[in-house]
Amino acid sequence: MSGSTTTDGAVSEDALLGGRLRLRQPRDGYRAAIDPVLLAAAVPLRAGERVLDLGCGAGAVFLCLLAREPALTVTAVERDPAMAALARSNASLNGFGERVEVAEVDVATLLPDWRAGDFDQVLSNPPYLPAERADPSPHAGRAAAGVEAGSDLVAWVGRARRCLRHKGRLTMVHRADRLGDLLAALDGFGEIVVFPLWPRAGQEAKRVIVTARNGVRSPLRLAAGLVLHDAGGGYTKAADAALRGAGLDLGP
């Protein structure tokens, strides 16, 4: 993410994908970093696909998707009214307003048959920690983005599965130390790929991207993953390319 400029007292404007996208987001509270950009980079896209972004925040994930493939139809779900408004504004700001619908609703309150089987792809950067493990931020926005409330990881995955067509794909980014929980929640999915994000070569992964397909029977595969930083602290060539809009190669 590039530097930011202030648009008013509460919102700043940042650049994504090397300046190709403009993202307005709260100056305080939850702010998108590299996780949503890398999540979007991990998704194989085809023109005309229908995509659901669960918990979209200000829209960083779907903006990065549409920058790679403008011929998508995106539905996004966000429970925070202020963030949902920013997501709509950001879609219009970047010329994607006609491609994006933002539903202002909590994942926990979506009816069981809401958009059932409608989507080719579901993406999510869900809250990372259950309440009993979290030390929530005093800022309500950060706490809501980081701590599960109302819907746990099983519920997020279950909602994604109901919305996916048969053989549709779910892609999530999550903490590496919750990989076991995520894999346990993926009942009914196959062709699971775990893609670690290594901070530096030789260091333990802090994040993983996991992709899986609904109703497919194939064994789990552990991909080589991506090393984010070189010895000097800058981004590696592969990480920099992904952060500028190139897709990630998760292998066969």
Side-chain angles (χ1 to χ4, degrees):
M1 183 178 297
S2 303
S4 63
T5 58
T6 301
T7 58
D8 61 37
V11 176
S12 67
E13 184 174 303
D14 299 279
L16 296 177
L17 305 188
R20 292 168 58 194
L21 293 173
R22 298 162 65 188
L23 178 72
R24 291 178 178 168
Q25 57 182 338
R27 285 183 57 194
D28 301 313
Y30 173 76
R31 291 175 58 81
I34 67 171
D35 288 3
V37 181
L38 296 176
L39 170 63
V43 180
L45 296 172
R46 295 180 180 177
E49 286 189 318
R50 296 162 298 175
V51 177
L52 173 63
D53 184 353
L54 281 178
C56 71
V61 173
F62 70 67
L63 291 176
C64 292
L65 287 178
L66 287 163
R68 284 179 53 211
E69 177 48 77
L72 301 174
T73 300
V74 175
T75 299
V77 170
E78 174 53 48
R79 68 181 178 182
D80 184 318
M83 296 300 279
L86 278 173
R88 295 187 191 99
S89 173
N90 283 324
S92 298
L93 183 67
N94 289 279
F96 300 133
E98 295 183 358
R99 290 284 181 182
V100 179
E101 172 193 0
V102 180
E104 187 181 307
V105 63
D106 194 326
V107 171
T109 63
L110 288 172
L111 296 175
D113 61 350
W114 182 85
R115 304 296 297 270
D118 276 2
F119 297 97
D120 303 291
Q121 307 263 7
V122 176
L123 293 91
S124 188
N125 179 16
Y128 282 156
L129 286 173
E132 65 272 15
R133 285 184 55 192
D135 180 15
S137 167
H139 192 286
R142 289 196 190 100
V147 182
E148 295 173 356
S151 295
D152 61 11
L153 186 54
V154 171
W156 281 75
V157 173
R159 167 55 61 188
R161 189 181 179 202
R162 286 195 294 274
C163 290
L164 279 168
R165 65 170 176 80
H166 181 59
K167 297 187 179 181
R169 185 182 301 275
L170 167 65
T171 308
M172 284 184 149
V173 61
H174 219 295
R175 286 171 55 122
D177 62 2
R178 295 209 65 197
L179 178 58
D181 296 333
L182 179 51
L183 293 177
L186 287 171
D187 183 43
F189 286 86
E191 202 173 297
I192 298 169
V193 180
V194 178
F195 187 85
L197 300 174
W198 314 104
R200 287 179 174 81
Q203 293 186 348
E204 293 184 358
K206 302 296 185 183
R207 298 282 188 268
V208 290
I209 295 172
V210 176
T211 180
R213 294 181 67 198
N214 183 27
V216 172
R217 292 182 177 271
S218 300
L220 180 148
R221 183 167 55 83
L222 179 61
L226 176 70
V227 177
L228 296 175
H229 297 100
D230 58 27
Y235 287 117
T236 62
K237 183 177 180 180
D240 184 67
L243 293 173
R244 291 179 179 276
L248 287 172
D249 182 5
L250 274 62

